[in-house]
């Protein structure tokens, strides 16, 4: 291996970090590859379960919201509804859930086949299998919009397993004109900084091999697969046929990568002990541009025995900048390769680097070295960018990679993380929760539950909105998948969604939405007072802020309760009239609302009406004369005394 060769320009030469070739394998033809991070549910569709007469409810909600029925399921108890263009799935779940006759509404979630790529050499790619990429591909397979710059010996531009994933400059044309005004004419597929032309073809093999690890087209029935099944590889040639190049060309390549807005730079090269301010400043510029810089830890000295980078720094991986990931190589047994450098503070993690099968110019073959290990990490960084790029920056992507490693005893104490790259855990770092459901509702609480799909979340943030308002944070929980929201208003429509969060990485996409209407608070303190022989006065406390009115029920003796009145809102008393005297009655009251339904009952009260006879009709008696009845009653005696007194008075007057 060439090391620290000085170029004619007195700049430190950059050297390849591989060891040897093994026998090549032949390419095979097949179908084209595909891959992306798919949406967790079908856009524009929801599934509705009905709780009552489904045909009536279905006609009602389709009419109100302008929905179309795609399918009826399970004897019509469920329906798959197509949403109008203006309505999101989240809005549909929130709105339709509140309709009468609807038990629940949820997105039409997507389930995927557990795909293993059909590339014929994939079974020999042990590095992909040991890093859990098969599980990672269940969630993400790459995006053509993600740009990974391969600063190396160039790339075989005609390799059938790479062509579809080679970047094309969108603002350049093969017309002899510098269309993008960067001083490089017709840089359609990157640039050759060694020869100063627009043909970054590989005359060594190293760059093609690294590129295949990062992004050979996956599942195309041909050769090998890359960590990314889809990606845009940007060839930037700075190393010659012997694998050597200058820092000045490296700086030009980094500047080009910054200009074109790449997401990741793969740097499978380096040299020992020669610190370059210019090189560090260029990588700092990439940091400022938000670009992750993945660099090889180095392959030891001329004895091919790994060195301690803490005491003998290796550059550019050893500059300690926040955008650098320094990578060493491990074997398929999980041991650090004998030739691989290490460092407790200067080397971040290990990745497969020994006997790695990948693309070579016009063919396939195996190489070993920290260069290969670096390409695995760059590939995973690109894959993570396709999943989380809208939620986090390069620091978050870097943290996902470092926090998700598989602990390895061979790397403990000699690397920062003490672990080996784990693609499955990294891709699942902050997957959105799903299965959000309401598990309990009272007048002032809602209890939620969801599925935790993340591997690196520090906790979950529960977001709530009231009615059609804006989302606010209702609370956070750590290491739990349940939450009880308290202190709510009664009879109120609330909508929830949940996100996973990590202080370094950021937040996941939100879960699906779920809605709940809190129950109405029941009236309390019910009292009853018998105010006459035929009436009772009821009074109670109004505890609800959302009732449309109150419902009063009464029972007599051993009979059942029956409704006797419905009152308006904010009423706290009622007089029940037309009752029988000396009779015991029982009462209870509850609030009702058009949205929230009915509250639970108040306390029950009992009361007995007063005794006595109500005035009746006059008795019969002939000739219109007065009939005196009473049978010794007090009223009858008084009447007789009055008549006698009047007769005596009349007799005295006549005498006078």
């Amino acid at each position: 291996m060439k090391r620290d060769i000085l170029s004619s320009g007195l700049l430190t030469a950059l050297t390849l970090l591989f060891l040897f070739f093994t026998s090549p394998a032949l390419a095979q033809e097949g179908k084209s590859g595909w891959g992306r991070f798919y949406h967790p549910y079908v856009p524009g569709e929801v599934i509705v379960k009905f709780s009552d007469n489904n045909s009536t409810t279905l006609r009602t909600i389709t009419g109100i919201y302008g929905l179309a029925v795609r399918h009826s399921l399970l004897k019509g108890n469920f329906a798959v509804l197509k949403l109008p263009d203006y309505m999101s799935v989240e809005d549909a779940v929130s709105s339709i859930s509140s309709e009468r006759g609807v038990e629940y509404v949820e997105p039409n979630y997507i389930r995927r086949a557990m795909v293993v790529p059909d590339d014929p050499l994939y079974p020999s790619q042990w590095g992909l299998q040991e890093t859990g990429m098969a599980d990672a591909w269940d969630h993400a397979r790459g995006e053509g919009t993600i740009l990974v710059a391969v600063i190396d010996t160039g790339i075989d531009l005609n390799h059938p397993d790479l062509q579809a994933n080679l970047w094309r400059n969108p603002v350049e044309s093969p017309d002899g004109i510098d269309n993008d005004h960067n001083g490089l004419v017709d840089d359609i597929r990157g640039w050759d900084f060694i020869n100063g032309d627009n043909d970054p073809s590989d005359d060594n093999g190293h760059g093609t091999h690294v590129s295949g690890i990062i992004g050979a087209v996956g599942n195309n029935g041909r050769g090998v697969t890359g960590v990314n099944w889809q990606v845009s590889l940007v060839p930037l040639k700075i190393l010659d046929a012997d694998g050597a190049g200058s820092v000045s060309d490296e700086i030009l390549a980094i500047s080009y990568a910054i200009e074109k807005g790449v997401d990741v730079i793969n740097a499978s090269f380096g040299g020992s002990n020669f610190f370059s301010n210019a090189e560090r400043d260029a990588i700092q510029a990439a940091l400022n541009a938000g670009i992750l810089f993945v660099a090889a830890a180095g392959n030891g000295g001329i004895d091919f025995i790994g060195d301690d980078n803490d005491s003998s720094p290796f550059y550019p991986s050893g500059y300690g900048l926040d955008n650098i990931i320094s990578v060493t190589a491990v074997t398929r047994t999980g041991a650090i390769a004998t030739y691989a450098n290490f460092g407790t503070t200067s080397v971040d993690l290990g990745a497969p680097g020994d006997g790695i099968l990948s693309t070579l110019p016009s063919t396939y073959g195996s190489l070993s070295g920290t260069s290969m290990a670096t390409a695995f990490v760059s590939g995973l960084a690109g894959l993570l960018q396709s999943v989380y790029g809208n939620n986090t920056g390069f620091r978050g992507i870097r943290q996902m990679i470092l926090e998700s490693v598989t602990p390895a005893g061979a790397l403990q104490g000699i690397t920062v993380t003490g672990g080996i790259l784990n693609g499955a855990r990294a891709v699942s770092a902050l997957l959105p929760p799903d299965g959000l459901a309401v598990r309990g509702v009272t007048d002032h609480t809602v209890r939620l539950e969801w599925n935790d799909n993340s591997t690196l979340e520090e906790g979950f943030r529960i977001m709530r909105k009231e009615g059609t308002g804006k989302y606010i944070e209702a609370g956070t929980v750590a290491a739990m998948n349940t939450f009880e929201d308290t202190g709510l208003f009664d009879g109120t429509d609330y909508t929830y969604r949940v996100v996973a969060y990590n202080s370094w990485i950021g937040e996941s996409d939100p879960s699906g939405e779920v809605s709940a209407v809190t129950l109405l608070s029941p009236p309390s303190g019910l009292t009853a007072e018998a105010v006459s022989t035929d009436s009772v006065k009821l009074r109670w406390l109004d505890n609800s802020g959302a009732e449309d009115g109150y419902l009063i029920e009464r029972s007599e003796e051993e009979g059942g309760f029956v409704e006797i009145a419905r009152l308006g809102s904010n009423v706290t008393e009622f007089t029940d009239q037309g009752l029988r005297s000396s009779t015991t009655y029982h009462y209870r009251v509850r609030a009702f609302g058009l949205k929230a339904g009915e509250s639970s009952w108040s306390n029950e009260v009992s009361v007995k009406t007063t005794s006595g006879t109500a005035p009746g009709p006059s008795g019969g008696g002939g000739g219109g004369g007065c009939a005196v009845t009473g049978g010794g009653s007090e009223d009858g005696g008084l009447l007789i005394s009055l008549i006698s007194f009047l007769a005596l008075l009349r007799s005295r007057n006549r005498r006078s």
Side-chain angles (χ1 to χ4, degrees), residues 571-585:
V571 176
T572 58
E573 61 181 45
F574 171 74
T575 300
D576 189 16
Q577 297 178 320
L579 305 175
R580 294 194 300 274
S581 64
S582 300
T583 303
T584 299
Y585 293 96

Side-chain angles (χ1 to χ4, degrees), residues 163-514:
Q163 275 186 315
N165 282 348
L166 291 177
W167 173 74
R168 184 180 180 88
N169 189 341
V171 293
E172 193 64 73
S173 302
D175 54 8
I177 300 173
D178 180 14
N179 302 100
D180 56 5
H181 307 292
N182 64 351
L184 307 176
V185 177
D186 293 350
D187 53 323
I188 298 169
R189 289 289 176 86
W191 196 254
D192 177 357
F193 293 94
I194 292 288
N195 300 300
D197 58 43
N198 67 344
D199 181 16
S201 295
D202 189 1
D203 52 6
N204 176 285
H206 185 269
T208 299
H209 195 272
V210 164
S211 297
I213 297 169
I214 297 169
V217 178
N219 207 45
N220 65 344
R222 183 197 305 273
V224 298
T225 185
V227 174
N228 294 268
W229 294 10
Q230 286 187 344
V231 71
S232 288
L233 301 167
V234 184
L236 300 176
K237 181 179 175 69
I238 69 163
L239 305 177
D240 60 21
D242 294 325
S246 67
V247 166
S248 61
D249 284 342
E250 178 197 356
I251 293 171
L252 290 173
I254 292 173
S255 297
Y256 187 96
I258 294 172
E259 175 202 334
K260 297 305 179 187
V262 307
D263 300 287
V264 181
I265 291 174
N266 185 87
S268 291
F269 54 80
S272 293
N273 297 321
F274 292 96
F275 183 102
S276 167
N277 286 300
E279 183 178 48
R280 186 187 185 282
D281 286 347
I283 300 171
Q284 176 70 53
L287 184 157
N288 296 341
I291 300 172
L292 195 62
F293 192 91
V294 186
N299 294 339
I302 58 175
D303 57 359
F304 294 109
I305 301 298
D307 297 327
D308 185 349
N309 287 358
D310 289 352
S311 57
S312 180
F314 190 87
Y315 300 111
S317 66
Y319 287 119
L321 295 172
D322 288 347
N323 62 332
I324 293 177
I325 300 179
S326 176
V327 189
T328 192
V330 299
T331 68
R332 68 174 62 210
T333 66
I336 187 169
T338 56
Y339 51 79
N341 291 351
F342 53 90
T344 304
T345 61
S346 56
V347 177
D348 291 307
L349 78 163
D354 201 58
I356 303 301
L357 178 62
S358 184
T359 50
L360 288 169
S362 302
T363 187
Y364 301 89
S366 294
L367 297 178
S368 296
T370 56
S371 284
M372 287 67 249
T374 300
F376 275 96
V377 178
S378 293
L380 181 57
L383 197 66
L384 293 172
Q385 185 70 27
S386 73
V387 180
Y388 298 106
N390 294 331
N391 301 74
T392 189
F394 73 87
R395 287 183 173 85
I397 300 296
R398 181 178 187 273
Q399 201 68 19
M400 289 182 196
I401 293 171
L402 300 185
E403 286 192 13
S404 63
V405 298
T406 301
L411 298 179
Q412 296 291 324
I414 62 170
T415 60
V416 174
T417 64
I420 299 172
L421 187 73
N422 187 320
R425 277 179 51 81
V427 169
S428 301
L430 276 185
L431 291 180
D434 64 10
L436 179 63
V438 176
R439 297 303 185 199
V441 179
T442 71
D443 52 347
H444 296 300
T445 66
V446 171
R447 185 165 57 85
L448 303 171
E449 184 177 272
W450 58 89
N451 297 324
D452 176 4
N453 299 317
S454 300
T455 55
L456 296 182
E457 87 283 355
E458 295 171 356
F460 294 94
R461 184 167 287 114
I462 296 85
M463 308 301 294
R464 176 189 69 217
K465 69 176 179 180
E466 179 181 337
T468 59
K470 295 183 178 180
Y471 272 106
I472 62 172
E473 183 178 309
T476 60
V477 292
M480 296 175 61
N481 65 337
T482 60
F483 175 75
E484 185 168 288
D485 194 14
T486 60
L488 303 175
F489 296 114
D490 76 313
T492 303
D493 185 8
Y494 293 100
T495 303
Y496 294 89
R497 64 188 186 193
V498 179
V499 297
Y501 71 87
N502 178 293
S503 56
W504 276 94
I505 300 169
E507 291 185 348
S508 72
D509 288 332
S511 68
E513 293 183 333
V514 67

Side-chain angles (χ1 to χ4, degrees), residues 619-628:
C626 293
V628 179

